[in-house]
Amino acid sequence: MDLHDLADFLHNAARSVGAEITSPWLYLQLGLILTCAGIAFGTGAAVRSRIEMTSVAMGWPAPLRLFARVLVGSAATATFALLVVLARVVMVTSTWPSRSYLLSVAANLAFAWLIIRLVTSVIRNTFLVRLVSVSAWLVAALSILGQLEPAIDALDSVSVVLGGLRLTPLLVIKLGVLLIVALWLTNIASNFAESRITQSADLTPSIQVLLIKMIRLALMVFAVAVAMSAVGINLSALAIFSGAAGVGIGFGLQKIVANFISGIILLADKSVKPGDLVTIGDSSGRISAMKTRYISVAAGDGREFLIPNEDLVTQKVTNWTYTDKNTLVKVNFATNYDADPRQVCQLAMEIAGIAKRAIKGKPPNCILTEFAEAGMKFALTFWIADPDGMDNVKSEVMLSLWDAFKREGIRVPYPVREIRIRGGALPVETTVEVSN
């Protein structure tokens, strides 16, 4: 197109716009559209205030409840579309169809938005719903106005070539849409697989977590590969970026990769698994979740420690339930020398044997460990079936020991200091006056 043709195009376009602006039918259609919009807005507000979906749709199937809720929320759009269609029918019967084209465009746009809202109602993510709705409506609007093909050609005319790969805005948009759809379907499939795996009683918790992570990763890689192939991107064309990706993983992402590999190792060797009671450094608690980068350890007091997987591989970890949940509880105590040590040991074993959580098949044991300066020291040991709440069990046994000692007249030693003064009185405090 040369300058002369461009001037003619602009002149004709300006003349068409000027003729359209001066036409009274344009303002009549705009007035009808605004009137329909006002009536629809009031109708939608009245419908939403009068209809309570919680009580009306009670007992309905879930898809039907969702459809009804979206329909009530879009009552204004549906009313607007119906009123505009009615106004256009009146205009067509009373005058030329060309004088009601704006009403036709408005009705088609309203119906397109209503259909898109009903279709996207199955998506749970609010941001994704808005993104898909606006994008689909823009495509529908361009198609209704007859500008979809020119818009596609314009988006495909601008390109950047990188290593044999031709990138255009149209290609990026297509890839983005396909990735969103593919990842959404991948999430549905992985959630379904996760529900099936977690219901299997033949798999240990660590194997279940490992399978879920591998399935999610494999489905995600497959979805990305399918989306890129669908838009015509040859995956071999991305080989130029492999060197940069390797350098980035080696330097900037080394901790993330180390934690990811450590998590795979932990799940494979079954050293820790969800539900285990562990002690890692100063942190103790039960493992509540195993993620790609860290494990979550619930301390029991409302706190949760997020410990990187790499720390579990490189540091000392105490797993109280690795092979057996039975835990040996040790209670140290002392008595004075007036007590009979055999009687003390027998009394302590009886108290430990009747503790609520003590294992009856493993009898407790009590030994005399030391003749100390302050008294005799003993060590009482007994087994419980689960290490959770071990401090509470120790407290219960020690309180029972205290009651038994009081009842039997056995005294618990405590340090006593006696001061004797020989050859004189206590020193008298003196005050020294300092003069300036």
Side-chain angles (χ1 to χ4, degrees):
M1 180 181 293
D2 54 12
L3 294 178
H4 181 70
D5 295 336
L6 180 61
D8 290 341
F9 173 76
L10 294 176
H11 177 71
N12 293 331
R15 186 169 56 184
S16 299
V17 172
E20 190 66 33
I21 292 176
T22 57
S23 173
W25 299 105
L26 173 66
Y27 299 100
L28 177 61
Q29 293 178 84
L30 290 176
L32 290 174
I33 291 174
L34 292 176
T35 302
C36 293
I39 297 174
F41 179 79
T43 303
V47 169
R48 288 191 298 270
S49 62
R50 296 289 181 86
I51 299 178
E52 180 61 35
M53 291 304 303
T54 304
S55 58
V56 173
M58 184 177 298
W60 292 8
L64 187 58
R65 288 201 309 268
L66 182 61
F67 178 81
R69 187 178 296 108
V70 175
L71 192 61
V72 170
S74 304
T77 305
T79 304
F80 174 76
L82 293 176
L83 291 176
V84 172
V85 168
L86 181 60
R88 184 175 185 274
V89 170
V90 175
M91 289 283 292
V92 168
T93 56
S94 60
T95 183
W96 296 101
S98 59
R99 294 175 178 176
S100 60
Y101 72 95
L102 197 58
L103 295 176
S104 176
V105 171
N108 290 332
L109 291 177
F111 276 119
W113 178 255
L114 182 61
I115 294 173
I116 291 170
R117 284 291 295 119
L118 294 175
V119 172
T120 56
S121 62
V122 298
I123 303 176
R124 301 296 182 183
N125 191 299
T126 304
F127 173 76
L128 190 60
V129 168
R130 293 178 180 176
L131 179 63
V132 173
S133 300
V134 172
S135 302
W137 188 78
L138 287 177
V139 173
L142 291 174
S143 178
I144 292 171
L145 296 175
Q147 300 298 318
L148 183 59
E149 291 296 332
I152 292 176
D153 294 338
L155 292 174
D156 195 45
S157 62
V158 181
S159 63
V160 176
V161 179
L162 295 175
L165 179 64
R166 182 174 179 269
L167 293 178
T168 64
L170 179 62
L171 181 66
V172 173
I173 293 173
K174 287 182 178 180
L175 180 60
V177 172
L178 288 177
L179 279 177
I180 291 174
V181 174
L183 293 178
W184 178 57
L185 295 176
T186 298
N187 187 49
I188 294 176
S190 59
N191 288 338
F192 175 77
E194 180 179 358
S195 64
R196 292 291 183 178
I197 292 174
T198 52
Q199 291 175 1
S200 176
D202 299 331
L203 301 176
T204 62
S206 58
I207 296 299
Q208 290 179 0
V209 176
L210 178 61
L211 288 177
I212 291 171
K213 291 183 183 297
M214 293 180 64
I215 289 174
R216 284 187 181 275
L217 181 61
L219 288 176
M220 187 176 299
V221 173
F222 178 74
V224 173
V226 169
M228 296 181 70
S229 300
V231 297
I233 297 179
N234 188 3
L235 297 180
S236 61
L238 301 177
I240 190 174
F241 302 106
S242 60
V247 173
I249 292 175
F251 290 96
L253 303 178
Q254 57 181 350
K255 284 294 183 182
I256 297 177
V257 175
N259 285 318
F260 177 77
I261 299 300
S262 299
I264 299 297
I265 294 173
L266 292 173
L267 293 172
D269 64 12
K270 305 178 184 178
S271 57
V272 294
K273 57 185 179 296
D276 282 351
L277 187 66
V278 296
T279 299
I280 306 169
D282 298 332
S283 305
S284 297
R286 193 172 294 276
I287 298 178
S288 59
M290 298 183 69
K291 302 296 184 180
T292 304
R293 188 180 61 84
Y294 61 88
I295 68 168
S296 176
V297 178
D301 56 359
R303 296 179 299 168
E304 287 200 32
F305 302 103
L306 304 182
I307 302 175
N309 292 327
E310 185 181 9
D311 292 350
L312 275 77
V313 176
T314 59
Q315 295 184 10
K316 179 181 177 180
V317 179
T318 302
N319 190 341
W320 297 86
T321 57
Y322 179 57
T323 56
D324 190 0
K325 289 186 177 183
N326 293 340
T327 304
L328 182 66
V329 181
K330 186 175 182 180
V331 178
N332 296 317
F333 63 95
T335 65
N336 63 358
Y337 284 104
D338 295 335
D340 182 0
R342 294 180 178 82
Q343 180 188 4
V344 171
C345 288
Q346 183 65 30
L347 187 61
M349 290 188 291
E350 291 176 358
I351 291 174
I354 63 175
K356 294 180 180 178
R357 293 182 53 188
I359 299 178
K360 307 306 178 183
K362 294 184 176 183
N365 187 31
C366 183
I367 59 174
L368 175 63
T369 60
E370 184 182 356
F371 291 111
E373 178 182 359
M376 297 180 292
K377 293 186 178 180
F378 298 86
L380 172 65
T381 56
F382 59 97
W383 291 88
I384 59 177
D386 192 340
D388 195 12
M390 184 170 56
D391 291 337
N392 294 332
V393 178
K394 291 178 65 175
S395 175
E396 176 188 349
V397 171
M398 293 177 72
L399 288 173
S400 299
L401 278 173
W402 174 262
D403 295 337
F405 288 167
K406 296 287 285 184
R407 184 176 63 251
E408 299 295 334
I410 300 174
R411 293 183 296 171
V412 176
Y414 54 90
V416 177
R417 296 293 182 265
E418 185 178 33
I419 300 177
R420 296 182 180 181
I421 306 299
R422 293 183 180 180
L426 290 173
V428 179
E429 181 180 358
T430 58
T431 302
V432 180
E433 295 182 1
V434 181
S435 60
N436 297 329

